[in-house]
């Protein structure tokens, strides 16, 4: 039996095509979740055959979009920590997560790691309580992206403003509970 040939890294044009497809799909699915794969390939400037060489179908393409978005959000944590004090960096990161609808799942490893870094920076600065874990904060925060539905009795252009205000108040409550000094109380 001949030795297995080492798998070559994709050529640069193939990597670029894949990246364009993911970005085109992200934009298309944001505007219209039922966007056709043909329209996504066209927007990326490739043929349908190229799309299917990279992705077996809609589900695989959606997964790639979600992975790219989660990676971008996770990658934002270090930059936020460089630009802002830890509690503000945490708030900005959680706001972005809430705006993006929490599509990644509360236990996405990249997000858990990024949030863990934000919490650790806050603890080191004496701003975040010691017992808060990334998994628990993501679970609590899931209510933030669950506020994306219609507001009872509200419709039209003002409804989005009401949702944003509600989300902001809920995030403030979450962050107040994470502040150092807000230690757990018995019974």
């Amino acid at each position: 039996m001949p030795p297995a040939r080492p798998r070559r890294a994709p050529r640069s044009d193939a990597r670029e095509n894949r990246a364009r497809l993911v970005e085109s799909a992200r934009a298309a699915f944001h505007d219209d979740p039922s966007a056709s794969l043909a329209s996504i390939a066209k927007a990326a400037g490739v043929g349908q055959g190229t799309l299917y060489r990279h992705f077996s179908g809609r589900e695989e393409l959606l997964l790639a979009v979600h992975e790219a978005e989660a990676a971008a959000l996770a990658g934002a944590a270090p930059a936020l920590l460089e630009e802002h004090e830890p509690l503000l960096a945490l708030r900005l990161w959680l706001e972005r997560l809430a705006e993006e609808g929490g599509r990644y799942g509360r236990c996405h490893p990249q997000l858990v790691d990024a949030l863990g870094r934000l919490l650790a920076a806050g603890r080191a600065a004496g701003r975040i309580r010691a017992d808060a874990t990334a998994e628990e904060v993501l679970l609590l925060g899931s209510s933030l992206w669950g506020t994306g539905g219609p507001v009872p009795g509200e419709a039209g252009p003002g409804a989005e403003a009401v949702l944003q205000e509600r989300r902001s108040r809920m995030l403030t409550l979450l962050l107040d509970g994470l502040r150092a000094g807000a230690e757990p109380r018995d019974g």
Side-chain angles (χ1 to χ4, degrees):
M1 180 175 202
R5 292 173 48 189
R7 193 168 194 187
R8 288 189 290 164
R11 297 184 338 225
S12 63
D13 61 332
R15 286 190 307 272
E16 291 166 8
N17 286 342
R18 188 180 202 291
R20 281 199 316 271
L21 284 163
V22 170
E23 180 54 31
S24 294
R26 187 199 58 73
F29 292 147
H30 181 269
D31 294 339
D32 177 13
S34 64
S36 73
L37 295 182
S39 69
I40 291 168
K42 184 176 181 180
V46 300
Q48 288 185 41
T50 299
L51 184 143
Y52 285 106
R53 272 192 296 282
H54 290 282
F55 306 101
S56 62
R58 177 178 293 279
E59 293 79 19
E60 193 174 330
L61 182 55
L62 273 169
L63 181 61
V65 167
H66 290 303
E67 287 292 323
E69 289 176 340
L73 181 57
L80 287 169
L81 284 169
E82 285 181 21
E83 297 171 19
H84 306 283
E85 63 90 18
L87 202 57
L88 179 56
L90 176 62
R91 181 182 187 95
L92 293 171
W93 191 85
L94 287 171
E95 283 176 352
R96 184 169 167 190
L97 177 64
E99 286 171 14
E100 295 179 8
R103 294 183 293 256
Y104 319 109
R106 64 178 179 261
C107 293
H108 194 291
Q110 290 177 314
L111 299 183
V112 171
D113 182 55
L115 181 53
R117 292 177 74 182
L118 289 161
L119 292 172
R123 280 192 290 275
R127 303 292 313 270
I128 300 291
R129 59 193 284 169
D131 65 337
T133 69
E135 293 86 356
E136 291 169 341
V137 173
L138 284 172
L139 183 59
L140 283 169
S142 66
S143 61
L144 294 172
W145 49 81
T147 60
V151 177
E154 292 281 330
E160 182 60 32
V162 171
L163 286 173
Q164 290 295 339
E165 177 60 26
R166 178 189 292 162
R167 190 176 288 140
S168 179
R169 284 192 318 269
M170 292 171 69
L171 181 55
T172 298
L173 289 170
L174 174 64
L175 290 170
D176 284 350
L178 288 172
R179 288 181 195 276
E183 299 301 325
R185 295 184 220 166
D186 290 334

